[in-house]
Amino acid sequence: MAVPLAYASGNDLLQMLRAQIGTRFNQDVIRYMFFKSQCQWICIGIAILVWGGQVGGDDLRLNQIQTIGTHNSYHLAPPQEVLSFLALGSQRSAEALDYSHRPIAEQLGSMKVRQLEFDLYADPQGGLFSNPVAYRKDRDAEGSEEPDPNAGGLLDQPGFKVLHSVDFDYRTTTATFVKALQEIREWSKANPRHIPILVLVELKDTAVGPVQVKPVRIDSEQLAEVDKEIRSVFSTSEMILPDDVRADCETLREAIKIKGWPKLNDCRGRVWFALDNEGALPRKYLDGHPSLRKRVMFVSMGMDHPASAFLKLNDPVSDFERIQHAVRAGFIVRTRADSETVQARQNDISRRDRAFESGAQYISTDYPVANERLSDYRVCLPGDLTYRVNPLAGRGER
């Protein structure tokens, strides 16, 4: 359900032109020309920018944009046999898992996604998740065509594995965290002017249901291993790190309040990471690293925490005022336009629209393209832009 160009507001069109050209421009002059058709309006605006020699001078900061992300960006729906089995216990739980994403490069490319999310299980010895229970049952069924999740022995290698849950909801477009990072980096290098890509990392160490695998507990050693795997793929210069944002300030909170986030043109082509977990795990990640010194990932803490710069506020309806308050205070916020396939099944855009209105910079969805089996529900910016000027933080706030 994209907003067609023909129905975009004048302000949205101004934002489209700014985002596509990557520059500030004289809005009063452009608005004066809005009596022209939209195609003429865009062409005249581009001509003014070129004649004025202003192309490429974008001074927006990272928190002054709004863009689209995907939730569980690796996820493939379980086989129908598994969904039917799960529905015996809870139809709603089975429906919540019935969504799939395209490969990472396709999301970043044609779908213009700029926030990704991966669920990780530690597997320091390798092989812990190479033979899921649900796959064994399907493999042994007559005429089964279910692909081997351990094709090429990838799951036998030590390192973090990407999957939603053990043994049953195991299907993924990218089996290991390192492989996912390599796919992101390859796309990034081929498209070096992209706006920064936020990668959310959720660490898991529990299992649900009749599983045969006991996950490895996430401790300080495993947290350090996450940073190590990220650094094995991305160099320091290819990332936006907490140290970069904090600079010479004492805390991250102080830095975003006084200096603000980096300017967009200074951090194009980079990626940045945030820990999706809340509670004890981010506190453990901060141990010995006050305000995330020498760490790779940002963490979602309370607004008054000295290490706070990024917030995860997933419900744009109940959290609407909190999101707006945080955005106006300089935080970068990730929220979700939909959850557990409910909005797509009901073709309900109210939560999606509230997410856009909230000013959250990263709006996550399971539907960057519609699943026509359910409805034409989808989440995108007007005109299918990659990003636009943030409706709250793009008005001069840091």
Side-chain angles (χ1 to χ4, degrees):
M1 300 180 68
V3 178
L5 189 61
Y7 297 102
S9 68
N11 188 54
D12 275 333
L13 287 167
L14 288 168
Q15 292 180 356
M16 289 178 204
L17 182 56
R18 176 183 295 164
Q20 296 287 34
I21 299 299
T23 185
R24 294 277 189 184
F25 54 91
N26 188 325
Q27 295 188 13
D28 292 333
V29 172
I30 301 299
R31 285 195 176 99
Y32 178 76
M33 295 176 178
F34 192 66
F35 70 92
K36 298 287 186 180
S37 72
Q38 290 172 1
C39 289
Q40 289 174 310
W41 180 88
I42 291 173
C43 291
I44 293 170
I46 292 172
I48 289 173
L49 290 168
V50 173
W51 293 337
Q54 299 176 354
V55 174
D58 197 341
D59 64 351
L60 287 172
R61 293 182 182 272
L62 182 56
N63 66 310
Q64 293 178 315
I65 64 171
Q66 189 173 65
T67 190
I68 302 301
T70 48
H71 159 255
N72 291 348
S73 309
Y74 60 89
H75 189 262
L76 294 173
Q80 186 56 52
E81 294 80 2
V82 174
L83 290 174
S84 298
F85 171 74
L86 295 174
L88 296 176
S90 169
Q91 179 67 32
R92 183 173 179 178
S93 295
E95 289 178 351
L97 302 178
D98 191 13
Y99 64 95
S100 297
H101 285 298
R102 300 298 301 161
I104 299 304
E106 189 172 337
Q107 292 184 50
L108 294 172
S110 61
M111 297 181 185
K112 301 177 181 178
V113 165
R114 292 298 179 268
Q115 174 257 299
L116 301 167
E117 179 185 355
F118 299 98
D119 293 331
L120 305 185
Y121 284 86
D123 187 10
Q125 304 302 318
L128 191 60
F129 307 101
S130 61
N131 196 19
V133 168
Y135 171 68
R136 276 178 271 167
K137 290 176 64 66
D138 192 79
R139 176 193 61 195
D140 296 335
E142 185 176 351
S144 172
E145 297 181 356
E146 180 67 13
D148 183 357
N150 193 30
L154 198 59
L155 293 175
D156 292 333
Q157 301 173 12
F160 286 96
K161 303 305 188 297
V162 179
L163 66 156
H164 190 239
S165 63
V166 175
D167 274 339
F168 291 95
D169 193 14
Y170 63 87
R171 298 176 80 194
T172 174
T173 63
T174 181
T176 73
F177 188 38
V178 167
K179 183 174 181 292
L181 296 173
Q182 290 169 340
E183 292 175 15
I184 297 169
R185 185 176 186 273
E186 182 179 355
W187 185 89
S188 177
K189 289 302 177 185
N191 300 271
R193 291 291 297 164
H194 67 78
I195 64 168
I197 300 165
L198 170 60
V199 180
L200 291 177
V201 174
E202 181 173 356
L203 298 170
K204 294 186 171 184
D205 58 8
T206 59
V208 179
V211 300
Q212 297 183 6
V213 169
K214 182 180 180 180
V216 174
R217 187 172 72 90
I218 302 297
D219 55 17
S220 297
E221 181 180 354
Q222 295 304 326
L223 286 167
E225 283 298 313
V226 177
D227 280 7
K228 184 177 178 180
E229 287 202 2
I230 294 172
R231 289 187 181 277
S232 75
V233 177
F234 289 98
S235 67
T236 298
S237 64
E238 294 170 334
M239 296 185 284
I240 301 170
L241 298 168
D243 287 343
D244 298 328
V245 176
R246 191 181 56 256
D248 57 357
C249 291
E250 184 65 24
T251 69
L252 276 170
R253 182 69 189 92
E254 178 187 356
I256 64 167
K257 183 177 181 180
I258 297 174
K259 295 187 174 183
W261 287 85
K263 289 189 176 181
L264 204 58
N265 263 2
D266 294 336
C267 56
R268 286 181 177 271
R270 297 190 189 185
V271 299
W272 62 293
F273 295 83
L275 186 61
D276 192 61
N277 302 76
E278 297 176 294
L281 209 56
R283 292 195 295 271
K284 188 176 295 185
Y285 188 69
L286 279 161
D287 286 347
H289 301 269
S291 207
L292 296 171
R293 282 171 170 77
K294 298 184 179 180
R295 284 301 202 187
V296 172
M297 297 184 287
F298 291 78
V299 294
S300 180
M301 309 293 285
M303 283 182 60
D304 295 328
H305 195 283
S308 192
F310 160 81
L311 292 173
K312 183 184 77 168
L313 297 170
N314 280 342
D315 190 336
V317 178
S318 63
D319 290 334
F320 186 81
E321 291 183 359
R322 290 180 64 198
I323 294 172
Q324 289 209 318
H325 178 56
V327 170
R328 288 191 173 108
F331 290 87
I332 288 183
V333 178
R334 179 265 198 165
T335 196
R336 291 181 61 182
D338 42 75
S339 177
E340 298 186 340
T341 76
V342 171
Q343 285 71 30
R345 292 178 187 279
Q346 299 175 357
N347 201 16
D348 180 2
I349 63 172
S350 58
R351 175 169 169 161
R352 180 200 72 180
D353 290 353
R354 202 65 168 157
F356 282 126
E357 293 165 5
S358 74
Q361 289 89 347
Y362 291 92
I363 298 173
S364 183
T365 179
D366 288 323
Y367 302 96
V369 294
N371 181 342
E372 296 180 359
R373 177 171 57 88
L374 302 180
S375 71
D376 63 351
Y377 173 88
R378 68 176 292 218
V379 178
C380 65
L381 290 172
D384 274 327
L385 288 178
T386 303
Y387 74 96
R388 68 175 178 179
V389 177
N390 192 288
L392 288 186
R395 298 174 182 165
E397 297 92 331
R398 289 188 184 278

